[in-house]
Amino acid sequence: MKSFREEDRVANLKKYEVLDTPADGAFDKFTRLAAELLEMPIAIVSLVDSDRIWFKSKHGLDVQQIDKTPGLCASAILSNELYLVEDAQKDVRTLANPLVAGEFGLRFYAAVPLATREGYNLGTFCIIDKNPRKLSARKKKVLQDLADLVMVQMELRLEARTAIRDKHELMNITAHDLKNPLSILPMMAEMIQKNKNNPEAIDKMAEQLRDAGKRMTKTITDLLDSALQDDESIHLRLKSLDLGKLVKGVVATNLHLAKNKRQKIDLQIESTRNIFGDFQHLTAVVDNLINNAIKYSPYEKSIAVAVKKKTNMAVISVEDQGPGLTEDDKKNLFRKDISLSAEPTGGEDSTGIGLSIVKKLVNAHKGKVYALSSGAGTGTVFVVELPLSQE
């Protein structure tokens, strides 16, 4: 076994979400098969926690868990080899063990570690008898095969849970991507009604409505496409993008939200090379940040949006004059479904998932996103750094 810290091994075990789960027919079949094929009275699928050994499945035993200290499984996971004790009363490793010297009277013990792909031993598949026994080469192979099948079952279940979570994340991203352009539509319709006699203004608003409609159509199309794919992770449709042009377009679609609160958006774009990215997802990133700046800034304040170059990175910054971030806010900033201390200044809704989506999308582009704030009442600067195209 590779050398791992015990706390890392336990953390990896908890990732499988199997501890303290109800009895399971699939695992019970394995222990029953082990007892029958290997002619053993006791067979156990054990998982070694930080302070206990918990039995996911057990045949011929009524106990659900034991303390880690007397348990032989805690010793068996220290090696990738079969841990075999043919007569515990004669084996120096087990002579003083309470399970051997005490009322239980253990004499025979054989265990194969349950190893993850990364090399963590989570527990064992073990067989036990109260009489000394020998284990043939064939039976050793059967025990190893059963242990491998148990790990396959655990890995498949982990992958299934991960796929379900990714699907939920995809739905959250889609809902949020649709919400911002949808929120603009009623306001734009109202502005058109007020500007009936101003064809130039109507033309401009019609163009912005068309852009919002295209974005929503693209988002829905992407969702339908992803439903046909087995992999539910984020799919990037990469191409060379003019980041300044992208940001300028997003600012334009948010101008009416800002004007509704008598806010001003100042945009500065330095000359930068293109980036290689997904237009739809990066538009969603910038839209989230600008929309949040509008949402949490007081009326009649300014929001500064900039696109700059820093060494081999393109940098987008969105600076507001809002309430700033407390220390707790900074810790929870990009966590999903966590409400920050600030409240929208115009009664807008806040789902609590926007910034977590931003981070996920930026990470997918091998970039980084962070926020700068000196504390409550000082405003906030959100910064996104993305690799420039190497052209």
Side-chain angles (χ1 to χ4, degrees):
M1 184 180 69
K2 295 178 182 178
S3 178
F4 292 115
R5 295 189 309 164
E6 175 63 6
E7 51 265 42
D8 293 336
R9 188 196 65 79
V10 172
N12 201 269
L13 167 62
K14 294 185 186 301
K15 179 182 73 174
Y16 285 80
E17 299 180 11
V18 67
L19 288 172
D20 299 310
T21 53
D24 191 308
F27 291 97
D28 290 343
K29 286 179 182 178
F30 291 131
T31 51
R32 186 173 67 251
L33 271 173
E36 293 176 359
L37 294 173
L38 304 177
E39 301 175 308
M40 291 286 168
I42 300 172
I44 303 171
V45 173
S46 71
L47 299 168
V48 182
D49 200 356
S50 56
D51 58 352
R52 59 174 177 156
I53 299 174
W54 185 79
F55 304 143
K56 174 56 186 171
S57 177
K58 68 256 190 241
H59 177 89
L61 193 69
D62 292 331
V63 179
Q64 185 61 63
Q65 66 180 38
I66 61 173
D67 289 340
K68 186 176 180 180
T69 303
L72 295 179
C73 294
S75 299
I77 64 168
L78 298 178
S79 169
N80 281 337
E81 304 298 325
L82 169 72
Y83 188 92
L84 179 62
V85 178
E86 294 181 336
D87 188 345
Q89 284 190 325
K90 296 180 180 179
D91 195 310
V92 293
R93 298 172 296 174
T94 54
L95 272 173
N97 189 289
L99 295 176
V100 177
E103 183 180 350
F104 185 75
L106 182 148
R107 292 295 178 270
F108 174 86
Y109 175 84
V112 173
L114 300 174
T116 69
R117 296 165 184 168
E118 298 81 13
Y120 292 101
N121 287 343
L122 306 183
T124 70
F125 195 121
C126 64
I127 47 177
I128 295 172
D129 199 346
K130 295 184 180 182
N131 297 302
R133 297 283 294 271
K134 297 284 186 181
L135 201 63
S136 68
R138 183 188 68 81
K139 289 184 176 181
K140 290 177 183 178
K141 181 66 166 58
V142 169
L143 183 60
Q144 179 67 63
D145 288 346
L146 288 171
D148 290 345
L149 288 172
V150 167
M151 274 311 303
V152 168
Q153 185 74 212
M154 289 177 63
E155 294 286 359
L156 287 174
R157 294 181 180 208
L158 175 61
E159 289 172 6
R161 286 194 297 272
T162 301
I164 291 171
R165 288 184 184 129
D166 284 345
K167 186 171 184 178
H168 289 166
E169 186 71 20
L170 177 67
M171 293 300 294
N172 281 338
I173 290 173
T174 302
H176 204 277
D177 285 355
L178 286 172
K179 183 179 178 182
N180 286 346
L182 277 172
S183 67
I184 296 172
L185 299 185
M187 191 177 304
M188 296 289 286
E190 183 180 339
M191 293 296 293
I192 288 173
Q193 288 178 329
K194 291 180 179 178
N195 289 273
K196 289 179 181 178
N197 298 320
N198 188 341
E200 184 178 342
I202 291 177
D203 286 345
K204 193 170 185 179
M205 285 182 278
E207 183 179 342
Q208 292 170 356
L209 280 171
R210 184 168 58 251
D211 289 342
K214 286 180 179 178
R215 285 169 52 198
M216 288 188 288
T217 300
K218 181 70 164 58
T219 299
I220 293 170
T221 301
D222 287 348
L223 177 63
L224 293 174
D225 287 345
S226 69
L228 301 176
Q229 300 176 13
D230 293 330
D231 182 7
E232 295 293 349
S233 59
I234 291 177
H235 298 278
L236 299 180
R237 293 174 172 84
L238 299 174
K239 63 179 182 179
S240 185
L241 300 173
D242 183 333
L243 189 61
K245 185 177 179 181
L246 183 151
V247 173
K248 186 176 180 180
V250 177
V251 169
T253 61
N254 280 278
L255 283 177
H256 284 281
L257 288 176
K259 287 179 180 178
N260 192 49
K261 297 176 75 171
R262 298 187 296 279
Q263 297 167 341
K264 181 182 179 183
I265 302 179
D266 294 320
L267 174 62
Q268 289 188 344
I269 299 176
E270 290 186 2
S271 177
T272 64
R273 296 199 307 273
N274 284 9
I275 68 162
F276 205 54
D278 184 302
F279 178 85
Q280 180 73 10
H281 288 324
L282 290 180
T283 297
V285 166
V286 180
D287 193 50
N288 270 285
L289 297 181
I290 294 176
N291 194 267
N292 278 347
I294 295 170
K295 186 184 300 182
Y296 292 102
S297 291
Y299 282 71
E300 301 180 345
K301 294 294 184 179
S302 293
I303 297 162
V305 180
V307 181
K308 301 180 180 180
K309 176 185 172 184
K310 184 177 75 174
T311 59
N312 61 341
M313 305 292 283
V315 181
I316 307 166
S317 63
V318 179
E319 182 176 3
D320 63 48
Q321 299 180 48
L325 301 172
T326 65
E327 289 304 313
D328 284 340
D329 287 339
K330 292 176 183 178
K331 293 175 185 176
N332 296 316
L333 197 56
F334 297 104
R335 293 177 60 188
K336 188 170 64 176
D337 300 326
I338 296 291
S339 296
L340 303 181
S341 61
E343 294 289 338
T345 54
E348 299 96 333
D349 293 330
S350 179
T351 63
I353 65 171
L355 290 177
S356 68
I357 292 171
V358 165
K359 185 172 181 61
K360 190 177 184 72
L361 296 177
V362 172
N363 288 347
H365 283 82
K366 303 188 185 308
K368 61 180 179 178
V369 57
Y370 53 93
L372 305 172
S373 177
S374 299
T378 63
T380 305
V381 183
F382 279 92
V383 181
V384 174
E385 296 185 5
L386 299 165
L388 284 167
S389 296
Q390 300 301 311
E391 297 178 350

